[in-house]
Amino acid sequence: MRPALLLCLLLTMMTPTTIARNADNPHAPTAAATPVPPPPAWLPALEARYDAELRAAGLDDRVFTAEHWWTVTTPLLERTRGFHVEEIGRSVENRPLRHVRWGEGRTQVLLWSQMHGDESTASMVLSDLFRFLGEHPDDPQVKALRANTTLHFLPILNPDGAARFQRRNVQGIDINRDARMLATPEARTLKALYDKVKPMYGFNLHDQRVGYRAGDSDRGTAIALLSPPYNHAADVNDVRTRAIEVAGVIRTALEPYLAGHIARWDETFDPRAFGDLTTQWGASTVLIEAGGIEGDVQKQRLRKLYFLGLVAALDSIATGSHQGVSPALYRELPENGDVWPDLLVRGGTLAMPGRPPMKADLLVNFRNPLMETDGAIADVGDLGGKKARRTINARDLFIVPIPGHAGERTLIEANDDGDNDEPPSPPPITPGASAHFVLSRDPQGRDVVWTLDGSVDPAAPAPPSR
Ligand SMILES: [Zn+2]
């Protein structure tokens, strides 16, 4: 995989004559990437209308509860606009799980969002989609969808997780590893809806870690796609062929906006995961993952692009236009590669009270990487050629722990001590500790240049990266 990618890269950098000469050589590997066709002609116009006519109001902050989501979305789901809403289950904490149905066509499509409670982008997108379907009945794409498909939605499958903005449900179960055992009420509700609808197409809608790079590149993955395999051999049958075509349609739609930032997941079969099993059960399933776009801290730009990709995918199902789309458009996407950590403080001097100063690089990861909140020390020391999403040059600066956080240590470290009679250790700047330090021109931390007190203050600019 990696050598092949490198080769592609090298060949791309060669002159056209070189490529032509290689093309004459039957032993030369095929290197030229399949050209990505232009997006559907109607897509730029839809993008231009998005902010005024399609973006659902009240979802500007990506952290919201299911209750809030239903409050702002329910007015979009009127029966006169063709929507049918029915409660079909309850979460562990008794929050309603609802089935939204729209359309009059034969092709059944099932879409579910936020089975991981902190992955809210697709839930925002579904609100936008409801606005599109309900308020714009004369749009050609809406007409085709209404006539040819019936869309079934299960939004915010993990409302208890959403209430805490955490991945797992309140029992600590990853619902996307519960498709086989069906131990959670949330997974059982999705499976029951699947069995009732028997969809031809499925959309498994997620967010992924912001740090993922597209292949071996330095570019962050904004959107990742997967046609989940249905067996360990990752065979391709008719069901997967359709999913791979639809994934190609999504790439085509988004390439003008996100070229180089679209990746795909590897095809390791997981018999506990919903996408893998819905594929096995017969639904052409596409996994869509929203990664991140730097500076887009609430994922609002990514929300728009995700919406455009999803509409293009649904349109290709309604019109049948995905048939014959080259599988190379999906196959040639780089895989999700390394996960870059969030913040590297390079070349500083660690000034711990009562200890000699020490040269050290520092690595910090955030619970919310785009907003840079809830930071924790990930590594300290000579971090060599380590790369991060953001690098701060701390040469000539001291890293000084902020007083008041001396007792704040991770559970594991606290339990390691064995003997609790020891005096409290210096404020920790060690892996696992939460990140509370200043960058200062003096070792006492009086002449402060920048502060990281758990979260980054966006109003206080950091020293430049280089
Ligand atoms: Zn997820």
Side-chain angles (χ1 to χ4, degrees):
M1 180 65 213
R2 297 232 161 135
L5 261 181
L6 188 65
L7 192 63
C8 284
L9 191 68
L10 284 171
L11 286 172
T12 315
M13 295 188 304
M14 289 178 184
T15 62
T17 12
T18 320
I19 290 170
R21 196 167 59 243
N22 280 345
D24 295 336
N25 177 358
H27 301 293
T30 48
T34 305
V36 180
W42 48 266
L43 201 84
L46 194 68
E47 191 224 343
R49 292 162 57 202
Y50 175 82
D51 283 322
E53 297 182 22
L54 303 168
R55 181 189 291 273
L59 296 169
D60 303 321
D61 185 332
R62 63 184 287 267
V63 180
F64 50 79
T65 62
E67 290 76 9
H68 173 77
W69 186 89
W70 282 105
T71 298
V72 301
T73 304
T74 297
L76 304 171
L77 299 173
E78 287 175 20
R79 194 169 273 263
T80 54
R81 292 172 174 175
F83 290 98
H84 301 264
V85 184
E86 182 191 5
E87 182 179 320
I88 55 168
R90 290 259 164 171
S91 68
V92 174
E93 289 187 325
N94 211 33
R95 291 184 171 89
L97 302 171
R98 298 187 180 101
H99 169 204
V100 177
R101 177 166 60 82
W102 181 94
E104 299 157 6
R106 281 179 50 200
T107 303
Q108 310 296 311
V109 184
L110 175 61
L111 309 91
W112 61 97
S113 77
Q114 215 164 341
M115 60 168 27
H116 295 139
D118 57 351
E119 300 178 7
S120 63
T121 303
S123 299
M124 300 191 277
V125 169
L126 292 187
S127 302
D128 300 340
L129 185 60
F130 295 153
R131 197 175 166 200
F132 180 48
L133 299 174
E135 293 182 9
H136 303 278
D138 297 326
D139 263 48
Q141 286 70 45
V142 176
K143 279 183 171 171
L145 279 167
R146 192 192 309 106
N148 300 323
T149 71
T150 301
L151 306 179
H152 304 267
F153 302 90
L154 210 174
I156 314 191
L157 181 61
N158 182 4
D160 302 346
R164 298 159 174 82
F165 211 62
Q166 70 180 27
R167 176 181 176 88
R168 292 167 180 256
N169 85 341
V170 76
Q171 298 161 299
I173 302 295
D174 183 336
I175 297 170
N176 206 24
R177 301 291 178 270
D178 193 29
R180 181 172 62 184
M181 193 176 282
L182 298 174
T184 63
E186 295 90 355
R188 285 195 293 275
T189 302
L190 178 56
K191 177 63 161 65
L193 182 59
Y194 181 95
D195 289 342
K196 182 180 165 191
V197 167
K198 297 185 180 62
M200 185 169 182
Y201 295 87
F203 287 89
N204 189 4
L205 306 176
H206 290 255
D207 285 64
Q208 69 176 19
R209 294 173 68 171
V210 169
Y212 271 113
R213 301 296 99 179
D216 289 342
S217 79
D218 288 0
R219 294 183 300 272
T221 299
I223 291 283
L225 302 167
L226 176 68
S227 152
Y230 63 90
N231 62 9
H232 287 290
D235 291 327
V236 175
N237 57 2
D238 288 351
V239 171
R240 282 200 68 206
T241 295
R242 283 191 293 271
I244 287 167
E245 289 171 350
V246 171
V249 168
I250 296 172
R251 181 193 178 182
T252 301
L254 298 183
E255 187 80 2
Y257 309 100
L258 293 174
H261 295 269
I262 308 172
R264 64 181 173 88
W265 271 101
D266 75 84
E267 297 190 348
T268 308
F269 176 61
D270 187 334
R272 310 165 300 160
F274 263 100
D276 303 50
L277 288 193
T278 56
T279 303
Q280 195 177 77
W281 300 332
S284 298
T285 306
V286 179
L287 175 83
I288 310 178
E289 302 258 7
I293 298 173
E294 294 302 332
D296 181 29
V297 297
Q298 297 293 351
K299 296 201 180 186
Q300 295 295 318
R301 176 168 160 73
L302 195 50
R303 163 187 176 180
K304 174 168 77 173
L305 298 176
Y306 199 120
F307 168 81
L308 294 174
L310 186 58
V311 172
L314 291 172
D315 179 71
S316 79
I317 290 169
T319 62
S321 65
H322 68 71
Q323 288 167 39
V325 165
S326 169
L329 292 174
Y330 167 75
R331 289 278 169 221
E332 292 176 5
L333 286 170
E335 282 193 14
N336 266 326
D338 292 341
V339 178
W340 278 13
D342 296 323
L343 176 65
L344 173 62
V345 178
R346 190 185 285 289
T349 299
L350 200 53
M352 306 288 283
R355 291 189 187 168
M358 175 182 82
K359 281 278 181 199
D361 304 324
L362 207 58
L363 211 52
V364 177
N365 279 324
F366 296 97
R367 183 149 183 266
N368 186 334
L370 289 167
M371 295 187 70
E372 299 189 319
T373 54
D374 292 334
I377 308 291
D379 205 351
V380 60
D382 180 355
L383 300 179
K386 192 84 182 173
K387 288 180 172 177
R389 291 177 43 246
R390 178 150 85 114
T391 300
I392 291 176
N393 182 358
R395 221 172 304 278
D396 308 324
L397 294 173
F398 292 91
I399 303 162
V400 187
I402 297 175
H405 295 283
E408 200 167 328
R409 309 180 64 187
T410 62
L411 202 56
I412 294 165
E413 285 181 324
N415 289 342
D416 275 347
D417 277 356
D419 181 1
N420 285 334
D421 293 329
E422 291 170 34
S425 23
I429 293 196
T430 51
S434 63
H436 301 273
F437 60 85
V438 297
L439 299 181
S440 171
R441 292 194 184 88
D442 67 300
Q444 289 78 36
R446 294 189 190 111
D447 189 5
V448 171
V449 173
W450 188 67
T451 302
L452 173 50
D453 196 1
S455 303
V456 170
D457 177 1
S465 57
R466 293 180 207 290

